[in-house]
């Protein structure tokens, strides 16, 4: 599905991002995995064990650092066709305990880094005659959550960037979409006691949490030519939790 395509995946070292990297590689893409530290990037590259993968660890909240990383990727793989803005952190604190610095940090990674990635990749995609940008949103971008308001606020902003840039960039054949996962079995969920996961699952219409591979398949579809006329979509992958 992605033969001859080059993809960049931020937060590709574990969880949903790692599953996306695996799915893209399996479908013929060359993949650049971006993480926060050299050690985690090296570990991910070792696990992916492919000649078609490279890894970098730029500061995603700093535009110059992102631009430099994307230039390196273009030098190695020749172009960038697909950008997955997936790196993200969450929050749980109620407003009175919420450190303003933590609010700034979540905006820096979950929002500013998405803007930086889009800004850096657009000239390269225009040069190629098009491309696909896919952002990781969340089911809470439709509902908010009872505590940790910075997280849903950041994902509402991701949806705003997605829909706006889809409109702005359509004329260049650059598609911009988002995937909004529900509760997904990444490290954080896997570390919870099984009975707690069962309680969460009981509240999901499909009766279970999602697997990272199931979320990755939505990215694969949106990245591929099968989605050639889909832009500005926020695709829920949540077992019907929201809507
Ligand atoms: P995870 O914690 O397993 O992985 C997060 C990834 O982001 C890692 O690769 C990590 O290296 C990277 N990252 C974290 N801080 C970074 C930084 N400062 N700079 C660069 N990279 C950084 O999380 P996950 O569950 O796989 O989440 C991936 C995305 O999916 C996030 O945007 C998250 O908000 C979203 N999401 C997750 C769930 C879920 O239930 N797991 C649900 C909805 C949305």
């Amino acid at each position: 599905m992605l033969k001859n395509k080059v993809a960049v995946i931020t937060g590709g070292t574990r969880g949903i991002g790692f599953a996306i990297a695996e799915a893209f590689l399996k479908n013929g893409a060359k993949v650049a995995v971006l993480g926060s530290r050299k050690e985690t990037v090296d570990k991910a590259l070792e696990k992916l064990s492919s000649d078609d993968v490279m890894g970098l660890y730029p500061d995603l909240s700093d535009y110059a650092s992102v631009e430099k990383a994307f230039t390196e990727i273009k030098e190695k793989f020749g172009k960038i066709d697909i950008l997955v803005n997936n790196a993200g952190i969450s929050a749980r604190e109620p407003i009175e305990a919420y450190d303003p610095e933590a609010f700034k940090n979540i905006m820096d990674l979950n929002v500013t880094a998405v803007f930086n990635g889009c800004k850096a990749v657009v000239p390269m995609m225009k040069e190629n005659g098009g491309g696909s940008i896919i952002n990781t949103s969340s089911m809470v971008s439709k509902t908010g959550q009872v505590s940790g308001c910075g997280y849903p606020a950041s994902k509402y902003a991701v949806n705003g960037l997605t829909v706006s840039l889809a409109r702005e960039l359509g004329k260049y054949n650059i598609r911009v979409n988002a995937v909004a996962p529900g509760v997904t079995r990444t490290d954080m969920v896997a570390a919870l006691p099984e009975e707690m996961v069962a309680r969460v699952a009981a509240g999901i219409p499909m009766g279970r949490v999602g697997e990272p591979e199931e979320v990755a398949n939505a990215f694969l579809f949106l990245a591929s030519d099968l989605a050639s006329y889909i832009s500005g979509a926020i695709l829920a992958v949540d077992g019907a939790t929201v809507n």
Side-chain angles (χ1 to χ4, degrees):
M1 284 169 81
L2 302 181
K3 203 161 181 274
N4 301 323
K5 303 280 190 195
V6 176
V8 178
I9 304 168
T10 74
T13 58
R14 61 172 195 258
I16 291 169
F18 186 81
I20 298 168
E22 280 186 311
F24 281 16
L25 281 167
K26 210 166 97 190
N27 280 272
K30 290 184 166 43
V31 173
V33 167
L34 307 192
S36 49
R37 287 183 295 123
K38 182 176 186 317
E39 303 78 69
T40 50
V41 169
D42 286 348
K43 213 169 112 194
L45 295 190
E46 200 182 305
K47 268 166 77 185
L48 290 166
S49 86
S50 162
D51 293 338
D52 290 332
V53 68
M54 68 181 283
L56 291 169
Y57 39 94
D59 177 356
L60 296 174
S61 63
D62 176 64
Y63 180 70
S65 177
V66 172
E67 197 182 32
K68 184 166 168 278
F70 283 23
T71 304
E72 263 182 63
I73 294 162
K74 193 181 167 202
E75 273 165 19
K76 182 164 164 77
F77 288 148
K79 57 176 183 166
I80 298 174
D81 302 291
I82 300 157
L83 169 64
V84 173
N85 286 307
N86 168 76
I89 46 175
S90 61
R92 286 162 177 246
E93 304 85 341
I95 185 83
E96 287 165 285
Y98 211 134
D99 181 350
E101 202 53 37
F103 186 83
K104 189 180 171 302
N105 289 342
I106 204 165
M107 292 300 152
D108 280 351
L109 183 65
N110 293 15
V111 185
T112 305
V114 174
F115 167 85
N116 287 342
C118 293
K119 183 172 164 62
V121 87
V122 162
M124 297 181 183
M125 288 186 170
K126 277 172 80 175
E127 208 179 291
N128 298 343
S132 174
I133 298 172
I134 313 161
N135 301 321
T136 308
S137 182
S138 165
M139 67 177 180
V140 302
S141 74
K142 292 177 185 161
T143 59
Q145 63 185 28
V146 291
S147 196
C149 62
Y151 182 65
S154 73
K155 295 301 186 180
Y156 274 85
V158 167
N159 292 1
L161 281 169
T162 301
V163 174
S164 301
L165 290 176
R167 290 176 170 231
E168 182 176 332
L169 302 173
K171 58 178 176 289
Y172 305 119
N173 192 33
I174 299 174
R175 298 182 295 104
V176 189
N177 293 290
V179 172
V183 182
T184 308
R185 198 187 296 276
T186 54
D187 289 355
M188 202 175 70
V189 174
L192 296 173
E194 206 42 56
E195 65 199 53
M196 195 183 283
V197 178
R199 230 179 302 136
V200 171
I204 299 172
M206 286 190 71
R208 62 179 180 86
V209 302
E211 299 299 328
E213 295 73 22
E214 294 178 299
V215 178
N217 283 336
F219 283 84
L220 176 60
F221 166 66
L222 289 171
S224 79
D225 290 341
L226 288 178
S228 55
Y229 196 52
I230 300 177
S231 194
I234 314 290
L235 177 57
V237 182
D238 64 1
T241 305
V242 177
N243 280 328

